Amino acid sequence: GQSLEQPSEVTAVEGAIVQINCTYQTSGFYGLSWYQQHDGGAPTFLSYNALDGLEETGRFSSFLSRSDSYGYLLLQELQMKDSASYFCAVRDGTSGTYKYIFGTGTRLKVLA
Amino acid sequence: DSGVTQTPKHLITATGQRVTLRCSPRSGDLSVYWYQQSLDQGLQFLIQYYNGEERAKGNILERFSAQQFPDLHSELNLSSLELGDSALYFCASSAQGGGENYGYTFGSGTRLTVV
């Protein structure tokens, strides 16, 4: 089966850099995705890593190490609007399905 | 607007009742996924449909069922409702190829409250 672990909560100040870690166990690996969800809102797709290394998209970057079954989301120049929950997700290894298994989420609090 | 439409946005019903949640996927997307999110919990996968056929099933209760119609909209039916079924129910869609590089597109969800 699949399982993902991420910290439940992270707090940082505006303008700082924060890293949200995710470790996973999966029977077949197709990549690690990250989603952002504001309170009461829908999850929105942030990034996807299929290969090792760092992918940068503006203030957000995502890293993957397949050998360590580990990834992280890096948020730079934090803004108040970044306060949200962040979920990592892996695709189920069963052939023919694109269902994703989500972690329990990390609540990021950005302080002024 | 994400392109995925879910109705209704809010639903309050009594225990033992049955409700139907509706989802229209983004134009061109063939896959529809249903997720349940309880208070302060992660997203629990319920079921996936691809072009009208069930493709994958998660820990979906026997009281719950779903289907995808020829026009690709999907409905999630919840019956014999219990207090513990109160949650946000999200529908998501993805392109035919799985959408790894673009991820899922989620609807705004249906908040179900069972009283």
Side-chain angles (χ1 to χ4, degrees), chain A residues 23-106:
Chain A
T23 57
Y24 60 86
Q25 287 186 315
T26 179
S27 54
F29 184 73
Y30 293 87
L32 185 71
S33 297
W34 288 92
Y35 287 79
Q36 178 192 60
Q37 184 182 29
H38 287 98
D39 284 347
T44 56
F45 175 75
L46 292 177
S47 67
Y48 170 75
N49 294 66
L51 303 175
D52 291 352
L54 190 68
E55 297 275 348
E56 298 180 54
T57 307
R59 295 187 297 114
F60 293 4
S61 303
S62 55
F63 171 83
L64 175 66
S65 169
R66 289 175 296 171
S67 60
D68 295 322
S69 297
Y70 163 77
Y72 66 72
L73 181 68
L74 190 73
L75 297 85
Q76 303 182 72
E77 301 173 19
L78 280 174
Q79 301 176 9
M80 298 297 290
K81 68 178 181 180
D82 298 329
S83 291
S85 292
Y86 292 84
F87 295 88
C88 57
V90 292
R91 189 183 128 193
D92 183 275
T94 307
S95 175
T97 177
Y98 290 93
K99 102 187 181 199
Y100 274 79
I101 306 300
F102 285 77
T104 52
T106 298

Side-chain angles (χ1 to χ4, degrees), chain B residues 2-69:
Chain B
S2 68
V4 178
T5 304
Q6 285 189 251
T7 57
K9 291 194 184 304
H10 302 276
L11 200 49
I12 301 175
T13 189
T15 54
Q17 295 299 304
R18 172 189 169 95
V19 297
T20 297
L21 312 184
R22 183 188 168 101
C23 169
S24 293
R26 197 178 53 167
S27 178
D29 286 355
L30 299 178
S31 277
V32 169
Y33 311 79
W34 286 97
Y35 283 82
Q36 180 192 55
Q37 186 176 39
S38 301
L39 190 62
D40 292 331
Q41 295 293 310
L43 293 151
Q44 300 298 317
F45 173 74
L46 295 178
I47 198 163
Q48 176 203 356
Y49 279 85
Y50 175 77
N51 203 20
E53 294 187 1
E54 182 183 302
R55 183 59 66 91
K57 224 169 184 178
N59 295 325
I60 186 169
L61 300 171
E62 286 191 11
R63 301 183 285 108
F64 294 4
S65 65
Q67 54 184 324
Q68 186 179 30
F69 295 85

